[in-house]
Amino acid sequence: MTPVPDVTDVVVVGSGVAGLSTALGLAATRDVVLIGAGDGSTPWAQGGVSAAYGDDDPLDHAHDTQVAGAGFCDPRNVRALVEEGPQRLAELIAHGARFDRNGDGSLSRTLEGGHSRPRIVHAGGDATGAEVHRALLTAVQRTSVHMMTGRTVGLLQSESGSVVGVLVETGAEVVRIEARAVVLATGGIGNAYLASTNPSTVRGDGIALALRAGASLVDMEFVQFHPTALHTGETAGQLPLVTEAVRGEGAVLRDVDGRRIMAGRHPRADLAPRDVVARAIEATMRRDGSDHVWLDATAVAPDVLRKRFPTVLASCARIGVDLLSEQIPVAPAEHFLCGGVRTDRNGATDVPGLYAVGEVAATGVHGANRLASNSLLEGLVFGRRVATALTLDLPAKDLGHVRELMLGDDRQPERIRTILSKYAGIRRDGAGLNAAADELDSVGTGPLATVARAVVVAATARQDSRGCHWRSDYPQADERWDRHTVVRLDQDDRPTTRQVQTDLV
Ligand SMILES: Cc1cc2nc3c(=O)[nH]c(=O)nc-3n(C[C@H](O)[C@H](O)[C@H](O)COP(=O)(O)OP(=O)(O)OC[C@H]3O[C@@H](n4cnc5c(N)ncnc54)[C@H](O)[C@@H]3O)c2cc1C
């Protein structure tokens, strides 16, 4: 293996679907260093990749995306997502990804919450993310991309404000790599909450790095909670997911007394968009004083469950429950960040030389609530878009004095997680959010503290409810809030908000 260079064209931070897609798209034209700090969410993805092709219409996919996003999506970027998606999926297959197929050889497509028709392509039953990750990683390994393991702990910034490189911690060493462009592909913020479906590597470093460099965040209040994490009895750390596709096959949610939760609440019942289902479960648990509800798949044919959901079955077996023959305990958990670092549709942030892609970025495709299985797709589509943009034009080399912007450390990570989980979960209100802000005052300015404050200031500012932001003191969507919440750092390095009326970019 050749040593990682200390000067390169592009550094990509993060080796999930978004970072790998970006690196792969750049490999033929640019020198690339790809840095990862362990597996992020990508290999854990279960349900699949949504793609409208054949007898399905990308415009129907766009419509479903916008309905789930509570009308808060950027329509041009949604169009790019749904129209470019099938082509990216075909390329992934050409790179060797093996998706599940029907007897006649066609791709097997399933239904998930919020989709008007079956358009979710999956692999290994419910092991789609692992296959997407494997195929992309193998493809990148065949290129000249330099891969490196380490945590990016800082950015290099020129006097004129351009981002011109990174600082990477590898063991006891901190390595400096200069680059004409830095692409953040660091995933979401799961580790800022006590319980999440995300692995512990997903801790919002990219959000904190971007803020430190002077970039804006947008829509940080829209944190998606997955309705059905397996209730293992653990209240912290990564919880196993029970994919929505189980409900797509016919499973239903029941309260502790066995009554259907979603019947009559939404025209799509158990397959309503995630925010609707998560809120219904939260309300049911609060009413019943319970820490879980039941998911009942006993009416689904055991063969279907065995074939489609081996990962879920294995997770259930680990806690001694059997999806085939009994109800399993589930509860909502933090899952996905719909907002993030504000970018244009080619990943450019408002800081020269700094780009963002994948879950860390906010292109507006998810609006106020992400449609199921649109996230792997986002990584594939927007990873390629960033790569295309940086192939056509690299930012000019910025010479002169360079300063180091460091992430710093969190002294009280557990306290931060507790505060965020208590006050900025599925249900929020002004009094709680003010208490969160007060409590976060004394936790320093490390990355998790910065992420938590960004969520809290955005959630405090938005005095209405839409998508996955639900304020019990402002329970309705209010057209006065048809605007995006932008977060930046103030002079004391504290996140602060303003609202913008216009489109995202
Ligand atoms: C359990 C689960 C199931 C899901 N199911 C689906 C699904 O079926 N369909 C779908 O579309 N989406 C699904 N999602 C969401 C989807 O998996 C993620 O949104 C998507 O994979 C994010 O990809 P990413 O490349 O942006 O980030 P990630 O895959 O999270 O990768 C982040 C990368 O950044 C690296 N990193 C982070 N910080 C640093 C740092 N400081 N320095 C260096 N590297 C760093 C990590 O090591 C990792 O390599 C699921 C998510 C989870 C958790």
Side-chain angles (χ1 to χ4, degrees):
M1 218 169 42
T2 50
V4 173
D6 51 15
V7 180
T8 188
D9 292 332
V10 182
V11 165
V12 179
V13 184
S15 54
V17 60
L20 288 165
S21 297
T22 307
L24 190 59
L26 282 166
T29 57
R30 301 290 184 198
D31 290 332
V32 180
V33 175
L34 175 66
I35 304 165
D39 283 346
S41 293
T42 298
W44 294 91
Q46 292 185 351
V49 186
S50 54
Y53 63 91
D55 57 353
D56 194 358
D57 188 335
L59 289 180
D60 290 340
H61 186 185
H63 177 76
D64 292 343
T65 300
Q66 303 211 36
V67 169
F72 213 53
C73 303
D74 180 320
R76 290 165 310 168
N77 291 0
V78 169
R79 204 163 160 179
L81 179 81
V82 299
E83 288 185 347
E84 294 168 25
Q87 177 66 25
R88 299 289 89 85
L89 187 67
E91 286 161 4
L92 192 60
I93 292 170
H95 282 304
R98 292 183 291 264
F99 291 101
D100 297 337
R101 291 188 179 268
N102 300 312
D104 63 1
S106 60
L107 285 170
S108 165
R109 286 182 277 178
T110 192
L111 187 65
E112 284 189 356
H115 287 273
S116 54
R117 54 184 299 161
R119 63 166 70 96
I120 319 300
V121 175
H122 46 88
D126 59 0
T128 312
E131 178 57 10
V132 168
H133 192 252
R134 184 202 64 75
L136 283 172
L137 186 61
T138 308
V140 169
Q141 283 166 341
R142 291 193 199 112
T143 70
S144 59
V145 169
H146 295 275
M147 299 195 66
M148 175 181 186
T149 302
R151 182 177 181 198
T152 299
V153 289
L155 293 176
L156 303 174
Q157 192 166 41
S158 73
E159 265 171 338
S160 67
S162 297
V163 167
V164 293
V166 294
L167 293 155
V168 188
E169 198 174 72
T170 57
E173 236 191 335
V174 174
V175 179
R176 179 185 167 112
I177 306 175
E178 291 175 24
R180 304 260 295 270
V182 172
V183 182
L184 299 172
T186 51
I189 59 167
N191 198 35
Y193 281 82
L194 277 178
S196 167
T197 60
N198 301 180
S200 61
T201 48
V202 179
R203 54 193 157 205
D205 281 357
I207 298 285
L209 285 167
L211 275 179
R212 299 264 196 282
S216 307
L217 312 179
V218 67
D219 293 346
M220 286 297 289
E221 62 274 36
F222 297 114
V223 178
Q224 183 176 78
F225 289 76
H226 198 288
T228 57
L230 190 63
H231 179 67
T232 59
E234 297 290 332
T235 50
Q238 186 184 13
L239 298 179
L241 185 78
V242 181
T243 171
E244 213 144 27
V246 177
R247 279 175 280 134
E249 296 293 345
V252 296
L253 289 156
R254 297 189 186 280
D255 67 14
V256 281
D257 295 321
R259 289 176 299 221
R260 292 271 309 268
I261 294 174
M262 292 309 299
R265 282 200 197 236
H266 189 277
R268 289 187 183 158
D270 292 84
L271 285 173
R274 277 184 189 166
D275 59 318
V276 177
V277 181
R279 274 200 300 280
I281 293 178
E282 194 273 348
T284 303
M285 284 167 34
R286 202 157 21 89
R287 183 198 68 197
D288 296 344
S290 163
D291 56 5
H292 67 276
V293 296
W294 298 106
L295 182 68
D296 181 359
T298 53
V300 185
D303 281 355
V304 172
L305 295 175
R306 271 193 214 98
K307 186 167 164 226
R308 287 280 287 110
F309 308 113
T311 311
V312 174
L313 282 171
S315 301
C316 290
R318 276 196 289 278
I319 63 160
V321 292
D322 179 15
L323 184 69
L324 308 184
S325 61
E326 61 185 332
Q327 305 182 124
I328 62 165
V330 292
E334 191 282 342
H335 185 59
F336 184 83
L337 177 64
C338 300
V341 181
R342 179 157 78 154
T343 70
D344 68 12
R345 90 193 59 164
N346 298 315
T349 70
D350 40 21
V351 173
L354 186 65
Y355 297 74
V357 66
E359 192 171 334
V360 69
T363 56
V365 294
H366 305 303
N369 178 45
R370 171 177 70 106
L371 181 65
S373 285
N374 266 0
S375 177
L376 293 175
L377 186 70
E378 177 188 25
L380 295 171
V381 167
F382 286 89
R384 170 58 74 84
R385 292 188 74 92
V386 176
T388 301
L390 290 176
T391 294
L392 296 175
D393 275 320
L394 262 191
K397 193 161 174 56
D398 195 335
L399 302 168
H401 182 72
V402 166
R403 65 182 180 133
E404 297 180 351
L405 304 169
M406 301 304 288
L407 266 182
D409 292 317
D410 285 296
R411 292 189 308 273
Q412 303 180 61
E414 217 46 31
R415 178 141 180 256
I416 296 165
R417 293 185 188 108
T418 306
I419 296 168
L420 203 60
S421 305
K422 180 169 174 194
Y423 298 116
I426 295 178
R427 182 186 162 94
R428 300 135 181 212
D429 61 39
L433 290 163
N434 289 338
D438 286 348
E439 292 183 31
L440 286 170
D441 238 4
S442 56
V443 298
T445 55
L448 273 191
T450 303
V451 167
R453 283 196 189 98
V455 173
V456 167
V457 293
T460 307
R462 177 172 291 286
Q463 296 182 338
D464 84 341
S465 291
R466 63 181 75 204
C468 48
H469 173 69
W470 182 32
R471 289 272 306 247
S472 57
D473 47 351
Y474 297 98
Q476 305 300 330
D478 178 342
E479 64 183 22
R480 285 172 298 179
W481 287 93
D482 286 353
R483 50 192 174 170
H484 296 277
T485 311
V486 172
V487 175
R488 303 189 64 145
L489 284 192
D490 67 13
Q491 286 154 337
D492 303 320
D493 277 351
R494 301 286 168 126
T496 175
T497 49
R498 70 189 169 89
Q499 286 85 45
V500 283
Q501 189 76 44
T502 55
D503 285 350
L504 283 186
V505 287

